[in-house]
Amino acid sequence: MARQRIVVGLDASAAARDALWWAVREAARTGARVLVVTAWPAADRALARDRDGLFEARLDLHRMQRDRIAEAVAGVSPRPPIARELVLADPVTALSHAAAIADVVVIGSDTATGLRGDSVAAALAHQLARRGHPAVLVVATAKVAEPGPVLTTAA
């Protein structure tokens, strides 16, 4: 069964960039649509507000999404439909809401194993699975000179 809706969590990390890269190529291969979700937690918004930079911080997040998507689709044909959201919530809440319409949720991990017990990706995948969401796929960014991301899945 081909995936029709892929949700990918995106922040400024290399791991999230690799997750988006994978999601775009998988969508191009299967004809799926991609929803890019960036969480903006309350603590980060409060810090930006305290520095009188709330507006600029929001623009920076939108620019980051735009630029990362442009990088990910470069050279991809056919280019899959991509939508993006900036969600005023923590990553688990943001991805949980988006997962309600997804066939798979893709997140990045900066560990070679992807789901190491103490990783943010492992915690995120575990919480999404506990909430009964669809398959969670973790794209692990290897810190060694290996070509391409390593894929692991969470049940």
Side-chain angles (χ1 to χ4, degrees):
M1 180 170 95
R3 293 183 178 105
Q4 297 300 311
R5 296 168 305 242
I6 300 172
V7 167
V8 60
L10 182 67
D11 60 19
S13 70
R17 179 200 61 222
D18 290 350
L20 176 61
W21 185 91
W22 183 89
V24 166
R25 277 145 188 82
E26 179 68 5
R29 185 182 72 77
T30 63
R33 295 170 289 170
V34 177
L35 174 59
V36 176
V37 176
T38 299
W40 195 14
D44 294 350
R45 293 190 313 274
L47 183 61
R49 188 173 14 311
D50 291 347
R51 294 179 177 169
D52 199 28
L54 192 60
F55 182 78
E56 192 60 39
R58 185 181 188 113
L59 285 178
D60 287 346
L61 288 170
H62 282 288
R63 287 182 192 120
M64 181 271 301
Q65 283 182 323
R66 179 198 64 208
D67 294 346
R68 288 287 173 100
I69 291 168
E71 291 168 4
V73 300
V76 173
S77 182
R79 181 181 171 171
I82 300 174
R84 59 188 172 128
E85 290 183 344
L86 178 60
V87 181
L88 305 180
D90 64 275
V92 172
T93 301
L95 288 173
S96 290
H97 286 285
I101 63 161
D103 297 303
V104 65
V105 176
V106 182
I107 57 176
S109 172
D110 62 359
T111 65
T113 59
L115 288 178
R116 192 180 74 203
D118 62 346
S119 72
V120 173
L124 194 57
H126 178 71
Q127 289 187 30
L128 287 169
R130 278 189 25 207
R131 293 184 183 194
H133 292 298
V136 176
L137 185 131
V138 178
V139 176
T141 299
K143 294 189 177 184
V144 293
E146 294 178 12
V150 178
L151 303 179
T152 56
T153 58

